[in-house]
Amino acid sequence: MFALNFNKNTMPIFYGKVALMDYLKSIKTKNSTVGFIPTMGALHQGHLSLMQQSLAENEHTVVSIFVNPTQFNNSEDLEKYPRTLEEDTQKIAQLNNSIIVFAPSVDDIYEGKVLSQDFDFDGLENQMEGKFRPGHFNGVGTIVKRLFEIVTPTNAYFGEKDFQQLQIIKKMVQKNNLEVNVIGCPIYRASNGLAMSSRNERLTEEQKEESSFIFKTLLEAKEQFQTKSAEYVTEWVEKTFANNPAFELEYFQIADEATLTPCETKSDSKKYRAFIAVFVNNIRLIDTISLN
Ligand code: PAF
């Protein structure tokens, strides 16, 4: 019941955690490493680049495809989230058919209690995405911890587009003494600069083209930050978006990379990053750029 397409030439796909855990136990040796890429499906080139990195660095690579209900604070967003398992598995098989796919049901993961655990991420959860998506990071922490317990990976790969999520997962691993290396990977961008995201699927071609404005603005903000204050740059970005009716800016924040708290006075010893969330016709896009 759990493993479909399971022979020497086809990619192993598991729909249940017990079968996956048994399989991983049977293939792992003392020194073999397992790379893991958790996803919510609707795979794009950004996800495939994480898989390529894992394939290059590990004996085994596991990809999970699971639209996690507890991290959505908006039921319409959850409902509309693209679910494309068949295309996703084809894309993975084309890349490398030794990748192990885990596509569990909500019940297999949550066992009847679709609830998130309460985490303390030392305040990282109270900034930006945490402010605008209450409960989101408890949902992310819950699913990632559960997936780590099932897959027990050596290395787990996450895109830097969700930089706040990456920092929060590192914190969760550290606080729970989990034995997994969390590896942040560069943002994969379309040729016009738009950061790859499963949500881009919902944009028209014209909206995708227009959305290059987000990265162009971030690049300009980075340039300005070299000589101007965070406050000046933030006001400039807010004005720039106010003058472009195609977008609704939710937030722009320049923050300390380690604590994610807003930058008030610049310090040479700190690393800063700009974070942005915008709506394009009700579709929420986020992006980020390192500033120094
Ligand atoms: O970044 C995502 O796609 C999700 O937040 C993750 C890490 C797969 C958890 O559901």
Side-chain angles (χ1 to χ4, degrees):
M1 165 187 179
F2 291 120
L4 182 90
N5 291 343
F6 190 31
N7 68 43
K8 208 164 101 231
N9 300 313
T10 53
M11 194 172 67
I13 306 179
F14 294 89
Y15 299 102
K17 58 179 180 290
V18 175
L20 174 75
M21 287 159 87
D22 285 348
Y23 177 68
L24 290 173
K25 219 190 270 170
S26 75
I27 58 167
K28 278 202 257 183
T29 59
K30 195 164 159 270
N31 295 318
S32 64
T33 61
V34 175
F36 178 44
I37 299 102
T39 82
M40 297 209 296
L43 301 179
H44 49 70
Q45 205 49 49
H47 294 115
L48 298 179
S49 71
L50 302 182
M51 293 177 211
Q52 269 162 333
Q53 187 166 340
S54 172
L55 287 164
E57 295 176 355
N58 301 280
E59 274 77 31
H60 307 290
T61 290
V62 180
V63 173
S64 64
I65 299 177
F66 180 68
V67 180
N68 173 36
T70 63
Q71 71 187 75
F72 286 81
N73 55 318
N74 175 330
S75 53
E76 194 189 331
D77 199 20
L78 171 61
E79 205 178 291
K80 289 203 172 146
Y81 204 85
R83 288 162 174 87
T84 53
L85 185 59
E86 193 148 336
E87 285 104 302
D88 290 345
T89 50
Q90 277 164 13
K91 283 180 191 166
I92 300 172
Q94 265 162 25
L95 179 72
N96 188 310
N97 74 356
S98 75
I99 294 177
I100 302 153
V101 177
F102 180 43
S105 64
V106 171
D107 219 42
D108 188 58
I109 293 292
Y110 283 101
E111 298 173 345
K113 288 191 210 93
V114 188
L115 294 172
S116 27
Q117 192 183 326
D118 262 333
F119 288 93
D120 171 6
F121 299 115
D122 289 347
L124 293 175
E125 71 277 29
N126 299 328
Q127 302 295 330
M128 302 171 292
E129 292 299 285
K131 270 192 207 152
F132 289 92
R133 303 180 69 187
H136 169 67
F137 287 120
N138 279 333
V140 171
T142 302
I143 185 62
V144 173
K145 185 162 175 277
R146 217 158 271 195
L147 290 169
F148 281 176
E149 284 158 2
I150 295 168
V151 178
T152 59
T154 324
N155 299 308
Y157 299 84
F158 294 87
E160 283 185 349
K161 181 172 76 68
D162 298 291
F163 192 86
Q164 187 172 10
Q165 167 174 282
L166 173 66
Q167 297 296 64
I168 279 177
I169 291 168
K170 284 184 178 164
K171 181 69 77 184
M172 194 250 316
V173 163
Q174 180 207 329
K175 286 197 152 194
N176 290 278
N177 296 316
L178 304 181
E179 282 184 22
V180 48
N181 303 312
V182 176
I183 300 170
C185 307
I187 299 176
Y188 201 96
R189 296 184 182 279
S191 55
N192 70 358
L194 176 64
M196 290 284 184
S197 162
S198 303
R199 288 199 168 82
N200 296 356
E201 291 291 301
R202 291 168 55 198
L203 300 173
T204 62
E205 286 310 309
E206 197 185 337
Q207 287 166 343
K208 280 186 194 159
E209 225 16 81
E210 271 173 354
S211 300
S212 62
F213 180 72
I214 301 168
F215 186 51
K216 279 194 197 117
T217 310
L218 286 183
L219 286 173
E220 175 69 30
K222 178 175 176 145
E223 185 78 25
Q224 292 197 20
F225 186 70
Q226 307 315 307
T227 52
K228 305 273 194 327
S229 70
E231 192 185 354
Y232 177 95
V233 179
T234 305
E235 274 173 22
W236 176 80
V237 170
E238 286 171 353
K239 261 192 233 140
T240 305
F241 273 93
N243 288 331
N244 190 331
F247 300 95
E248 193 191 315
L249 179 68
E250 188 169 59
Y251 66 77
F252 173 83
Q253 182 164 312
I254 295 180
D256 176 329
E257 247 188 41
T259 61
L260 301 180
T261 51
C263 162
E264 273 150 20
T265 315
K266 278 196 232 176
S267 151
D268 284 343
S269 62
K270 287 188 177 166
K271 278 196 68 61
Y272 295 105
R273 196 168 255 280
F275 296 85
I276 193 166
V278 291
F279 286 94
V280 181
N281 191 24
N282 268 338
I283 300 156
R284 190 171 185 277
L285 303 177
I286 62 169
D287 204 344
T288 177
I289 193 168
S290 159
L291 297 177
N292 62 338

